[in-house]
């Protein structure tokens, strides 16, 4: 299979040949140079570059022989519609100057290509609109004949100044002739007026009560209260230990006044600290209870704003000589 494909490629390259000697208007060999570069690109498999070079050579000198190269390159690019157009023109313009073997081979390709293309008949309500198929301009409306296209999905567009452009995708099967009408409307034209919406006469459905959601505040308060309670317990234990040291210092003989004073001072300080921590823990416990009792019932989400309504505010006030609890409920 590979050998057969290679043979076909070599045969195609051989048939492309060298630049035609009959380039009549080839000033300075420019057309011949583009033709030879096209053959080189084709031999390397760069069919896009080869197509550019062959088109340039034909533009400089419209020699019918270049149409054969254009047809061959279009086949490799799977642009079957372009290949068919090039081969048809080649056979028509070459006439009797084409040898019998080549004509027979090209006619076989033409028959094969006709099964791979379709056509689209395009009509419109506007004359002079530019028609493009797959972004290539093919003429202006009204088109004189159906447009030959490759089988598959094609993009058809119409454009004219003063009108809104129109684009449509159309699927075309091989040998199928598709009819497509694309009407244009003025760019400033308004669409049909839409009737005003009828008034809503449906009964108003009562809205459900606002959702009540709890927050993390009671749990935070509980955690803080627990921490103060633990600290109070630890500090109380240290105070008792210091009190024991004080008692032991008193019973020691001979007495050491410095040790007694240190033990007394330490015991008092720890006892005072333990009292404060205990008071804070008790106050925190009260706050925690209040928050648990009121948070879920007093902080609904308002229906109008989607925000939570203000709930009770409770605060703990610490002073050097007292602990206070205050807030709003």
């Amino acid at each position: 299979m590979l050998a057969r494909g290679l043979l076909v490629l070599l045969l195609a390259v051989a048939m492309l040949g060298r630049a035609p000697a009959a380039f009549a208007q080839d000033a300075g060999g420019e057309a011949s140079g583009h033709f030879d570069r096209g053959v080189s690109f084709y031999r390397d498999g760069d069919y896009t570059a080869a197509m550019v070079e062959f088109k340039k050579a034909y533009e400089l000198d419209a020699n019918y022989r270049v149409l054969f190269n254009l047809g061959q390159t279009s086949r490799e690019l799977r642009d079957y519609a372009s290949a068919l157009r090039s081969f048809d023109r080649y056979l028509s313009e070459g006439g009797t100057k084409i040898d019998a073997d080549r004509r027979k081979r090209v006619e076989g390709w033409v028959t094969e290509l006709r099964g791979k293309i379709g056509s689209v008949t395009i009509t419109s309500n506007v004359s002079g609109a530019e028609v493009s198929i797959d972004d290539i301009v093919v003429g202006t409306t009204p088109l004189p004949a159906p447009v030959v296209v490759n089988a598959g999905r094609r993009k058809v567009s119409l454009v004219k100044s003063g009108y809104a452009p129109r684009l449509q995708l159309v699927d075309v099967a091989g040998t199928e002739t598709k009819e497509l009408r694309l009407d244009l409307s003025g760019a400033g034209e308004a669409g049909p007026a839409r009737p005003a919406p009828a008034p809503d006469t449906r009964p108003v459905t009562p809205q459900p009560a606002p959702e009540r959601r709890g927050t993390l505040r009671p749990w935070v308060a509980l955690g803080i209260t627990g921490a103060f309670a633990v600290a109070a317990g630890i500090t109380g234990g240290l105070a008792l230990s210091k009190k024991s040291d004080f008692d032991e210092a008193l019973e020691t003989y001979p007495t050491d006044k410095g040790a007694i004073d240190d033990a007394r001072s330490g015991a008092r300080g720890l006892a005072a600290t333990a009292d404060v921590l205990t008071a804070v823990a008790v106050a925190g416990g009260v706050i925690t209870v209040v928050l648990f009792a009121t948070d879920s019932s007093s902080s609904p989400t308002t229906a109008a704003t989607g925000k939570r309504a203000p709930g009770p505010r409770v605060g703990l006030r610490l002073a050097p000589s007292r602990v206070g609890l205050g807030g709003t409920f």
Side-chain angles (χ1 to χ4, degrees):
M1 191 68 179
L2 180 60
R4 181 181 177 184
L6 182 60
L7 179 61
V8 171
L9 178 61
L10 291 175
L11 179 61
V13 172
M15 294 182 70
L16 288 177
R18 299 290 298 173
F23 275 125
Q25 304 171 6
D26 188 8
E30 188 176 358
S32 299
H34 286 292
F35 185 91
D36 288 339
R37 280 191 293 273
V39 173
S40 178
F41 281 127
Y42 187 98
R43 184 180 293 111
D44 293 339
D46 190 348
Y47 303 117
T48 301
M51 176 65 73
V52 172
E53 296 292 346
F54 288 142
K55 283 184 176 180
K56 187 64 177 180
Y58 190 77
E59 177 186 325
L60 293 171
D61 190 346
N63 190 304
Y64 80 93
R65 292 179 176 84
V66 185
L67 293 170
F68 176 84
N69 301 71
L70 290 171
Q72 280 282 66
T73 308
S74 295
R75 282 185 70 209
E76 295 296 340
L77 291 172
R78 293 179 173 80
D79 187 355
Y80 305 121
S82 295
L84 180 62
R85 286 192 291 268
S86 295
F87 285 140
D88 276 339
R89 289 181 59 190
Y90 172 74
L91 294 175
S92 176
E93 295 180 17
T96 58
K97 291 178 284 189
I98 303 174
D99 65 74
D101 288 342
R102 175 166 289 197
R103 172 174 288 275
K104 182 178 180 181
R105 182 176 294 276
V106 173
E107 287 174 346
W109 290 339
V110 167
T111 301
E112 175 190 346
L113 289 170
R114 292 193 188 281
K116 296 182 178 180
I117 56 94
S119 60
V120 182
T121 300
I122 302 171
T123 57
S124 176
N125 64 329
V126 175
S127 297
E130 184 180 82
V131 183
S132 298
I133 297 181
D134 295 335
D135 300 322
I136 298 176
V137 178
V138 296
T140 57
T141 56
L143 294 175
V147 182
V148 177
V149 297
N150 296 319
R153 175 160 291 183
R154 308 269 70 87
K155 181 175 70 173
V156 183
S157 59
L158 263 68
V159 177
K160 185 175 182 179
S161 177
Y163 293 85
R166 182 76 183 275
L167 183 147
Q168 186 166 329
L169 299 178
V170 58
D171 292 330
V172 183
T175 71
E176 179 184 20
T177 298
K178 202 89 169 184
E179 294 187 359
L180 182 64
R181 182 171 181 84
L182 297 178
D183 289 339
L184 301 182
S185 59
E189 293 181 7
R194 296 183 179 179
D200 190 357
T201 58
R202 295 174 297 177
V204 178
T205 303
Q207 296 296 320
E211 181 182 358
R212 301 180 183 275
R213 301 176 181 175
T215 67
L216 294 176
R217 291 182 300 174
W219 299 101
V220 173
L222 179 61
I224 295 174
T225 300
F228 275 106
V230 171
I234 294 174
T235 306
L238 293 175
L240 291 177
S241 176
K242 207 67 175 176
K243 177 65 168 57
S244 177
D245 293 341
F246 173 71
D247 293 338
E248 183 178 350
L250 288 176
E251 295 173 359
T252 301
Y253 183 85
T255 59
D256 186 344
K257 188 176 184 303
I260 293 174
D261 291 339
D262 289 342
R264 180 190 295 113
S265 176
R268 287 178 178 177
L270 289 172
T273 302
D275 290 342
V276 172
L277 292 175
T278 302
V280 173
V282 171
V286 174
I287 294 174
T288 302
V289 172
V290 172
L291 289 177
F292 271 113
T294 61
D295 185 77
S296 61
S297 61
S298 300
S299 301
T301 301
T302 61
T305 64
K307 298 181 179 179
R308 295 178 57 83
R313 297 181 179 178
V314 182
L316 182 65
R317 300 187 180 92
L318 298 178
S321 59
R322 61 189 178 88
V323 178
L325 177 67
T328 59
F329 299 87

